[in-house]
Amino acid sequence: MNVGITILLGLGIACGLFYYSKNDRDLIGIALGLFIAATPIMPWHLLDHTIINTIQFPWRFFAIITAIVSYLVAKDECHLLKNKYYFYLLILLLGAGNVIYSTNSIQNQSWRFRTNTAYNTPNPYYIGAGHEYLPAQTDYQKILRHKKQVIKYQPHKIKITNVRHTWGRYQFDFRTLTDQKAVVEVPFIYYKGYVAELNHHQRLPMQMNKRTGLTQVALKGTGRITVYYRTTTIQRIGTVISLLSFGMLIIIIYKEKRRATK
């Protein structure tokens, strides 16, 4: 089922409340603005290669729109849900709309289906414009051609055994064959959050291969290495700010609701 028709109907009801609910006009305006931004009406191509482009996928705005619409519908300013006839009519419209939309999508939009070959050779546009997150040194087409994601190293400098690759994590045992450090390239596109742990406790510095944009680590001696992504300090700060902002929003809405009922 596609919930888009549900959001659209809820947004329509919210627009009908615009003239009746002065307290929620800001939320309704925000929901409408984000809804327009998530449609082809918004000329996103004019903002390509700008800081705005880091939004990457405008349909993410539907998460905010859904939260606002859910709040407005649950608040039921016009008391539609208290009337059983309106309530059942609303459920009927939502159910019928979702079934019709889903059926139509399957029957008339078969062009959206992708073969395995086509899926494995996506257009770089589907990760934004291909410029938001990839290092400048990364050759995206080369990465697509090499999907086995093997570790690269010089066998005469280091021996690697027991390689384990799970989702987002590489683990292997190593032993250097010379007195100098040996560089091992792990097939992860370099981000500052990647860390390498030696024997599960000692952190080793990660570097970016200046030619490929991939992650590499310099090793010496023997041990077991685990490479994985760990959130950075700025990401953890951002999470705290988001949670605090959400908590403040709940408090503000609660206070406004109490004020309106007095």
Side-chain angles (χ1 to χ4, degrees):
M1 293 294 182
N2 187 292
V3 298
I5 191 68
T6 305
I7 297 174
L8 184 61
L9 182 58
L11 191 59
I13 295 174
C15 291
L17 298 174
F18 189 83
Y19 293 101
Y20 297 97
S21 179
K22 295 181 180 180
N23 295 328
D24 296 322
R25 286 183 177 179
D26 291 343
L27 287 176
I28 296 172
I30 292 172
L32 283 174
L34 293 179
F35 180 78
I36 293 173
T39 65
I41 298 175
M42 182 69 179
W44 287 108
H45 61 280
L46 299 179
L47 302 174
D48 202 4
H49 304 292
T50 67
I51 191 172
I52 302 298
N53 200 216
T54 56
I55 294 172
Q56 195 182 27
F57 298 116
W59 45 257
R60 287 173 172 167
F61 292 143
F62 276 106
I64 303 174
I65 297 171
T66 302
I68 295 176
V69 169
S70 299
Y71 164 74
L72 294 174
V73 172
K75 190 176 181 181
D76 195 18
E77 194 78 13
C78 292
H79 308 292
L80 295 177
L81 299 181
K82 293 181 180 179
N83 187 306
K84 64 178 182 179
Y85 298 106
Y86 285 130
F87 177 78
Y88 289 119
L89 178 61
L90 184 62
I91 297 299
L92 179 62
L93 288 175
L94 288 176
N98 279 305
V99 171
I100 293 172
Y101 185 88
S102 301
T103 304
N104 181 70
S105 297
I106 295 173
Q107 292 178 347
N108 300 331
Q109 299 189 32
S110 58
W111 57 270
R112 290 181 179 271
F113 291 101
R114 293 289 183 269
T115 63
N116 185 64
T117 302
Y119 182 80
N120 285 330
T121 55
N123 188 318
Y125 179 78
Y126 293 121
I127 55 169
H131 304 280
E132 290 77 32
Y133 301 115
L134 300 181
Q137 297 86 348
T138 304
D139 186 340
Y140 182 65
Q141 296 301 324
K142 185 176 181 180
I143 292 175
L144 288 176
R145 290 192 298 268
H146 297 81
K147 292 184 177 296
K148 292 185 178 180
Q149 297 183 322
V150 296
I151 295 176
K152 292 184 179 180
Y153 58 94
Q154 294 178 306
H156 65 279
K157 290 186 177 181
I158 187 172
K159 182 178 180 180
I160 291 180
T161 56
N162 300 324
V163 179
R164 296 181 180 180
H165 178 204
T166 58
W167 178 257
R169 181 182 295 261
Y170 259 102
Q171 188 177 77
F172 57 86
D173 297 327
F174 75 94
R175 178 170 61 86
T176 54
L177 305 178
T178 65
D179 293 334
Q180 298 179 342
K181 288 186 176 182
V183 176
V184 177
E185 181 182 276
V186 181
F188 288 149
I189 297 174
Y190 178 80
Y191 298 106
K192 291 185 178 180
Y194 275 113
V195 297
E197 287 186 353
L198 175 60
N199 299 325
H200 300 290
H201 61 83
Q202 181 182 350
R203 292 275 176 82
L204 299 180
M206 303 294 292
Q207 301 172 344
M208 182 179 70
N209 187 320
K210 297 299 179 64
R211 294 183 296 102
T212 63
L214 299 180
T215 302
Q216 61 184 21
V217 57
L219 303 174
K220 185 178 181 180
T222 60
R224 170 168 291 187
I225 288 291
T226 304
V227 179
Y228 64 97
Y229 185 84
R230 185 173 183 270
T231 54
T232 61
T233 301
I234 191 66
Q235 286 176 319
R236 291 192 288 273
I237 293 174
T239 301
V240 172
I241 293 175
S242 297
L243 292 175
L244 290 175
S245 300
F246 180 73
M248 291 177 63
L249 177 63
I250 296 298
I251 293 173
I252 292 172
I253 293 175
Y254 175 74
K255 288 184 175 181
E256 288 294 330
K257 187 175 181 179
R258 287 197 62 184
R259 184 184 304 175
T261 56
K262 289 182 179 180

